[in-house]
Amino acid sequence: MNKESAIEENKREKDDKGMENAEHKGRKYGFAIFTLLSVFIMIFSLFYSERSTIYAVTALFWTFIAAEAYIKYRCSKIKTYLVTGIAGTAAVVLSMTNYIVNTLR
């Protein structure tokens, strides 16, 4: 490997790390905004909307939580993430069931 190709490869790796960092930061902020908006819609729906709306938003919220917890568990093997993933999945199933039942009434 010559000097120029080594420099080019190093530059490409730095660009990749920078993009990974930006994607991670974007997901972090996206998750925070998604959570705040979900909570707002849930609270608003309790007072001013159909009951089924809150179930749909709750299902989306818990899907996000359960998926993230499961991936963290697979990487770290920390049992708290496994429990969160299982509980989140149960919440998704219950919320979707409530949404479907209330919508079809």
Side-chain angles (χ1 to χ4, degrees), residues 64-101:
F64 201 81
I65 297 294
E68 182 181 26
Y70 176 71
I71 297 301
K72 285 182 178 180
Y73 169 73
R74 290 209 42 206
C75 293
S76 68
K77 300 298 183 199
I78 296 173
K79 300 288 184 191
T80 306
Y81 292 133
L82 178 62
V83 172
T84 303
I86 292 169
T89 302
V92 169
V93 170
L94 292 173
S95 295
M96 282 305 298
T97 302
N98 282 331
Y99 173 71
I100 291 168
V101 167

Side-chain angles (χ1 to χ4, degrees), residues 33-96:
I33 293 167
F34 175 78
T35 301
L36 290 172
L37 186 59
S38 295
V39 170
F40 172 76
I41 291 171
M42 284 185 246
I43 292 170
F44 187 82
S45 294
L46 280 173
F47 297 106
Y48 299 109
S49 184
E50 291 182 18
R51 209 45 151 176
S52 62
T53 303
I54 194 169
Y55 298 128
V57 174
T58 303
L60 292 172
F61 175 77
W62 283 110
T63 299
F64 201 81
I65 297 294
E68 182 181 26
Y70 176 71
I71 297 301
K72 285 182 178 180
Y73 169 73
R74 290 209 42 206
C75 293
S76 68
K77 300 298 183 199
I78 296 173
K79 300 288 184 191
T80 306
Y81 292 133
L82 178 62
V83 172
T84 303
I86 292 169
T89 302
V92 169
V93 170
L94 292 173
S95 295
M96 282 305 298

